[in-house]
């Protein structure tokens, strides 16, 4: 496993956090949710082109919602999503790499929630990004990069 200086590791984690947890509807006039905080613990292993991370995301619902949408790079897989009490939250992945998360009770407008996402995957080129045929995210020796807008990772 490659060791990064704390500055580089924090920068990678921050980029991953911002890109991963911007809601799908952020591109619309009024996003259904606003992310207010996040804490990410990530391990990047260039020799195997992998990332493994846990992200604690705090957000406020801007409207009543049955389902919240987040974008995730197609080669990264969610293994677990939990609420602030540690209860598992169910979700599915749509065709456009969106994670459609449906909590046991609908999200209430104005209420703040904290969910924890555990995910991992291999980013070594190929499919999974938003533009077919272009490698916009890669974990590699000696350079790893993310060339996305703020809507996905």
């Amino acid at each position: 496993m490659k060791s990064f200086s704390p500055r580089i590791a924090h920068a990678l984690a921050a980029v991953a956090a911002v890109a991963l947890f911007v809601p799908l509807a952020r591109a619309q006039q009024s996003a259904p949710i606003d992310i207010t905080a996040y804490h990410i613990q990530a391990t990047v292993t260039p020799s195997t082109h992998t990332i493994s991370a846990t992200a604690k995301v705090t957000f406020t619902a801007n409207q009543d919602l049955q389902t919240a949408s987040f974008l995730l790079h197609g080669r990264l897989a969610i293994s677990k999503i939990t609420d602030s009490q540690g209860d598992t939250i169910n979700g599915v992945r749509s065709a456009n790499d969106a994670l459609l998360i449906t909590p046991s009770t609908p999200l209430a407008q104005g209420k703040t929630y904290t969910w924890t996402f555990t995910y991992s995957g291999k980013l070594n080129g190929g499919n999974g990004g938003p533009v077919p045929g272009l490698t916009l995210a890669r974990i590699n020796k000696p350079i790893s990069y993310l060339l996305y807008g703020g809507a996905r990772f």
Side-chain angles (χ1 to χ4, degrees), residues 57-133:
V57 180
T58 301
F59 62 93
T60 301
N62 291 329
Q63 59 195 51
D64 294 339
L65 296 168
Q66 298 290 324
T67 301
S69 299
F70 299 87
L71 289 176
L72 181 67
H73 188 284
R75 301 203 51 183
L76 298 176
I78 291 283
S79 57
K80 187 176 186 180
I81 304 168
T82 57
D83 63 18
S84 58
Q85 282 72 45
D87 295 328
T88 299
I89 304 171
N90 295 317
V92 297
R93 184 167 229 151
S94 71
N96 68 348
D97 294 331
L99 297 172
L100 305 174
I101 313 300
T102 305
S104 57
T105 23
L107 302 176
Q109 182 177 359
K111 188 170 178 191
T112 298
Y113 301 86
T114 299
W115 292 351
T116 301
F117 297 76
T118 303
Y119 64 95
S120 62
K122 190 172 199 174
L123 296 175
N124 63 342
N127 296 330
V131 182

Side-chain angles (χ1 to χ4, degrees), residues 33-48:
I33 64 173
D34 282 328
I35 295 174
T36 56
Y38 51 84
H39 180 261
I40 296 205
Q41 293 181 315
T43 301
V44 175
T45 310
S47 62
T48 59

